[in-house]
Amino acid sequence: MRFKTLLLAASSLALVAGAAKAQEISNDVVKIGILNDQSGVYADFGGQWSVEAARMAVEDYGGTVLGKPIEIVSADHQNKADIASNTAREWYDVQNVDAIMELTTSSVALAVQGLSREKEKITITTGAATTELTGAQCSPYGFHWVYDTHALAVGTGGALVKAGGDSWFFLTADYAFGYSLEEQTGNFVKENGGEVLGAVRHPLGTTDFSSFLLQAQSSGAKVIGLANAGLDTANAIKGAAEFGIVQSGQQLAGLLFTLAEVHGLGLEAAQGLNLTEGWYWDQSDENREFATKFEEKTQRKPNMVQAGTYSAVMQYLKAVEAAGTDATAEVAAKLHELPVEDVFAKGGTVQENGRMVYDMYLFQVKAPGESEGPWDYYTEVAQVPGGEAFLTVEESGCDVASFAN
């Protein structure tokens, strides 16, 4: 009888503890916002496809966490920091969004991460490149998940110089991301014994690269580094093909170009392009299985940004589960603590400054005759260990001591 009484008491305590744990989910729903460019130059880079990747993650997680539903909301920030900040503020203050992810465009990501630190909310950036996110403008609640300008510079810049591409000229997008990518790649070129012959900056979203390409061509540089992204890079490559730049012996280096943009451009124009990505669909059976499922929903293969967004959502949900709550400080602590082991990253770790460290890859785009079909576009040239690809906390410039304040 006494044993039965104790058992009932233990069961009651377990039920109370379970109910208390379930109540730790604010507003009875875990709500994640995907904020990115869905109509501009980066619409294929992440866009609606990142939203679909986030929904896949929720579906694969089971649709609930700690017994509460998971909801994805999304919006187009149009590559404007003010629109992004206003959207994020409304999401936090009115819609009770718990975390914001993707954040294509560095200016947008920095603005939203800054607001999120003020609001004590989590951001996981998968679509922007600036190292400032985990550097001087780091946040205890900010995480950088997929790539950054340092990793791209190491992967593409360092490898090409070692292969003989020791003189560079840059075509650079005229905003923070472009400047950072040009600077960091240029530094790697020079550290490896190469030289930078010059650079020219172009407006975001320009369609005529003629004058910029002529300057690059006349420089005589062995490598023309495209320090831009999305349609800007695609239009620059199209222009280079028209001028016969590659045929005349110069190489093009797409410092931020993904599978989505290669597909849109076509192998005829993109062949021979060197680029760095953190993930490719045809690297393993697990990747191929994920890509097939993604393609069934979207009619396209995922690039690193979309696969990385899937990973970020999954890891956030794992952190909520591990923390037993969606409270920001507790979830952030788990995001720093938990290893990242999923279809996107193997053996990934999260530094104190929020930088997720994992291996990157240098690829070369195949010639049309080498491809066995749609989306078969890359030949892997080199693997770049995460410890080389990303800055350490000490190198980053992040004042992690301030996180305790």
Side-chain angles (χ1 to χ4, degrees):
M1 183 69 177
R2 186 168 180 267
F3 174 77
K4 185 176 181 181
T5 301
L6 289 171
L7 184 61
L8 286 171
S11 298
S12 298
L13 286 171
L15 287 171
V16 170
K21 193 173 187 181
Q23 289 168 2
E24 289 297 311
I25 297 298
S26 57
N27 304 293
D28 288 330
V29 62
V30 173
K31 191 176 288 190
I32 299 167
I34 305 299
L35 185 56
N36 60 9
D37 176 11
Q38 298 180 16
S39 59
V41 293
Y42 303 136
D44 270 357
F45 182 74
Q48 61 181 304
W49 321 115
S50 285
V51 179
E52 187 57 50
R55 289 176 179 147
M56 281 179 61
V58 171
E59 179 183 320
D60 289 349
Y61 201 80
T64 65
V65 60
L66 297 176
K68 299 297 182 180
I70 306 160
E71 183 180 342
I72 299 293
V73 297
S74 68
D76 181 358
H77 61 48
Q78 301 173 45
N79 294 311
K80 296 177 181 177
D82 57 340
I83 291 176
S85 295
N86 289 338
T87 300
R89 190 179 298 276
E90 195 268 341
W91 277 357
Y92 290 147
D93 294 347
V94 179
Q95 296 194 38
N96 299 309
V97 167
D98 297 296
I100 296 178
M101 304 183 193
E102 225 267 42
L103 297 170
T104 318
T105 315
S106 293
S107 57
V108 162
L110 289 168
V112 173
Q113 181 169 285
L115 172 67
S116 300
R117 181 171 188 174
E118 173 191 323
K119 295 283 188 180
E120 297 188 357
K121 296 285 189 176
I122 286 172
T123 57
I124 306 181
T125 298
T126 60
T130 178
T131 53
E132 288 294 289
L133 287 163
T134 50
Q137 298 189 52
C138 61
S139 163
Y141 317 121
F143 299 85
H144 203 175
W145 214 250
V146 176
Y147 67 99
D148 61 29
T149 50
H150 185 270
L152 298 175
V154 172
T156 307
L160 284 179
V161 174
K162 291 174 183 176
D166 55 6
S167 61
W168 285 60
F169 187 95
F170 290 95
L171 263 67
T172 303
D174 193 12
Y175 72 107
F177 153 70
Y179 313 149
S180 178
L181 191 50
E182 176 193 321
E183 178 185 14
Q184 294 199 36
T185 307
N187 288 341
F188 269 93
V189 168
K190 287 179 275 191
E191 286 173 13
N192 284 279
E195 59 180 334
V196 176
L197 302 182
V200 61
R201 290 173 176 172
H202 67 80
L204 178 67
T206 189
T207 55
D208 185 3
F209 279 84
S210 301
S211 63
F212 309 123
L213 287 166
L214 286 171
Q215 290 180 64
Q217 190 174 37
S218 63
S219 74
K222 293 179 181 177
V223 180
I224 299 173
L226 304 175
N228 47 25
L231 283 178
D232 283 341
T233 308
N235 287 330
I237 294 170
K238 286 178 185 176
E242 292 171 4
F243 282 109
I245 286 177
V246 174
Q247 291 84 344
S248 66
Q250 290 176 295
Q251 292 187 74
L252 295 179
L255 298 176
L256 178 51
F257 207 55
T258 75
L259 187 75
E261 289 77 48
V262 172
H263 182 73
L265 188 59
L267 291 182
E268 191 63 45
Q271 61 182 305
L273 183 71
N274 299 280
L275 53 86
T276 298
E277 287 212 53
W279 187 89
Y280 178 49
W281 71 270
D282 202 24
Q283 287 178 297
S284 70
D285 289 341
E286 184 183 15
N287 288 15
R288 285 185 282 273
E289 182 179 348
F290 173 78
T292 297
K293 184 175 178 181
F294 184 89
E295 189 173 19
E296 287 171 355
K297 294 176 178 292
T298 64
Q299 289 71 60
R300 61 195 291 126
K301 299 289 189 192
N303 65 6
M304 68 171 173
V305 174
Q306 293 139 12
T309 300
Y310 174 93
S311 171
V313 172
M314 288 290 284
Q315 194 73 4
Y316 176 77
L317 295 174
K318 291 175 185 177
V320 170
E321 187 89 42
T325 177
D326 63 355
T328 295
E330 287 85 343
V331 175
K334 290 299 180 182
L335 282 168
H336 282 101
E337 173 187 321
L338 294 173
V340 184
E341 193 72 32
D342 57 27
V343 69
F344 177 72
K346 302 301 180 191
T349 58
V350 178
Q351 298 179 154
E352 289 179 276
N353 61 353
R355 175 66 256 177
M356 199 272 279
V357 175
Y358 72 114
D359 294 346
M360 301 286 287
Y361 303 89
L362 177 68
F363 298 106
Q364 186 172 73
V365 178
K366 294 180 177 182
E370 298 173 321
S371 174
E372 296 182 2
W375 303 101
D376 176 29
Y377 298 154
Y378 289 172
T379 297
E380 185 178 320
V381 176
Q383 183 172 350
V384 184
E388 295 177 17
F390 298 101
L391 294 167
T392 65
V393 175
E394 293 72 24
E395 292 168 334
S396 73
C398 173
D399 180 13
V400 294
S402 69
F403 292 178
N405 298 330

